[in-house]
Amino acid sequence: MEIVTQELMVKTGEERMPCHLARPASGGPYPAIVVVMEAFGLNGNIKKITDRFAAEGFVAISPNLYFRQPDNVVGYDNLPGAIKLMGSLKDDQIAADMTAAIDYVKTLKEAKPKFGTTGFCMGGRVAFLTAVRNGDVHATAPFYGGGMTRAGQPGGKAPVDDAANLKGPVLAFFGGKDAFIPVTEVDKFRDALIKAGKSPEVVLYGDADHGFMCEERPSYHPEHAKEAWAKTVAFFKNNLG
């Protein structure tokens, strides 16, 4: 499907947040997805994934959640830099910025008012956090989202503590070799959702590592990436149509 893309500024509070928007070139309205960046920032890889969703028949937006920081994209070989940037975020601000992106897309005639969220690495947690805090989100597909069972700040709540607020299903992907997210954390996440009365689909690829969806990382796993992509597209089409 032919797409059009745009770099734009979205108002969040009194500030303006850069976003990458992609949508089919004609027709609609289409279901909408917010694609959340990894800890490394809103880079070419995340924009490419956003464009891929548009080619599948979605209006897709990816916000730059690090826009308040001067150097807000780092290379995949700079984990300390990514961790520093990630530490600059607070859950309440994340939720506000994600809501701003959603509210902007709601103004587009090409978009349906039913949203999905997906994200990778840090973005997986953000995608899930948004789903439990924003009633416009009707499906969420976090990829190797670390910290979904932990509070973002001392005294805060873990995203999974608000699982009862979910308005739609969860499709979550993890890698069995992921040193950042032990399988015990995956089990804890699944169990908490079930306890909240939800029926999540949790996919654990035993031989996959953190970042298995990213072509630019050594951990890229082509087979699982292809399968997970197909599952995610079908999931959103089934639940946002």
Side-chain angles (χ1 to χ4, degrees), residues 18-183:
C19 296
H20 178 76
L21 179 75
R23 60 174 176 81
S26 60
Y30 297 98
I33 296 175
V34 186
V35 181
V36 191
M37 64 197 204
E38 302 156 295
F40 301 91
L42 182 54
N43 57 21
N45 172 60
I46 297 301
K47 292 180 180 181
K48 180 180 175 182
I49 291 172
T50 306
D51 296 350
R52 287 177 68 192
F53 274 114
E56 294 282 358
F58 299 93
V59 174
I61 190 168
S62 185
N64 183 351
L65 300 177
Y66 289 159
F67 76 95
R68 297 175 182 87
Q69 305 303 315
D71 299 310
N72 51 46
V73 177
V74 298
Y76 286 115
D77 58 349
N78 186 0
L79 185 58
I83 291 172
K84 182 179 179 182
L85 283 168
M86 190 164 52
S88 70
L89 298 183
K90 301 289 186 288
D91 283 358
D92 288 348
Q93 187 67 66
I94 290 168
D97 291 343
M98 289 288 288
T99 293
I102 288 171
D103 288 348
Y104 172 80
V105 176
K106 284 162 71 174
T107 70
L108 303 178
K109 68 181 187 302
E110 297 89 356
K112 294 182 179 180
K114 219 171 180 182
F115 286 78
T117 56
T118 189
F120 308 85
C121 176
M122 174 196 83
R125 183 184 187 277
V126 172
F128 183 77
L129 173 72
T130 305
V132 301
R133 291 207 185 187
N134 190 312
D136 289 320
V137 179
H138 289 264
T140 185
F143 281 78
Y144 32 89
M148 293 189 290
T149 62
R150 298 191 302 275
Q153 289 81 44
K157 294 173 75 176
V160 81
D161 292 342
D162 289 324
N165 297 337
L166 288 165
K167 296 293 192 292
V170 177
L171 171 63
F173 296 91
F174 298 95
K177 291 183 175 180
D178 190 341
F180 297 106
I181 310 171
V183 175

Side-chain angles (χ1 to χ4, degrees), residues 45 48-49 52-53 56 120 143-144 171 173-175 203 205 207-217 219-234:
N45 172 60
K48 180 180 175 182
I49 291 172
R52 287 177 68 192
F53 274 114
E56 294 282 358
F120 308 85
F143 281 78
Y144 32 89
L171 171 63
F173 296 91
F174 298 95
V203 179
Y205 293 123
D207 59 342
D209 204 341
H210 195 81
F212 69 81
M213 284 293 290
C214 180
E215 296 177 1
E216 299 178 26
R217 301 178 73 171
S219 53
Y220 177 57
H221 195 299
E223 180 184 348
H224 294 325
K226 182 178 179 181
E227 179 185 312
W229 175 258
K231 283 179 73 73
T232 302
V233 169

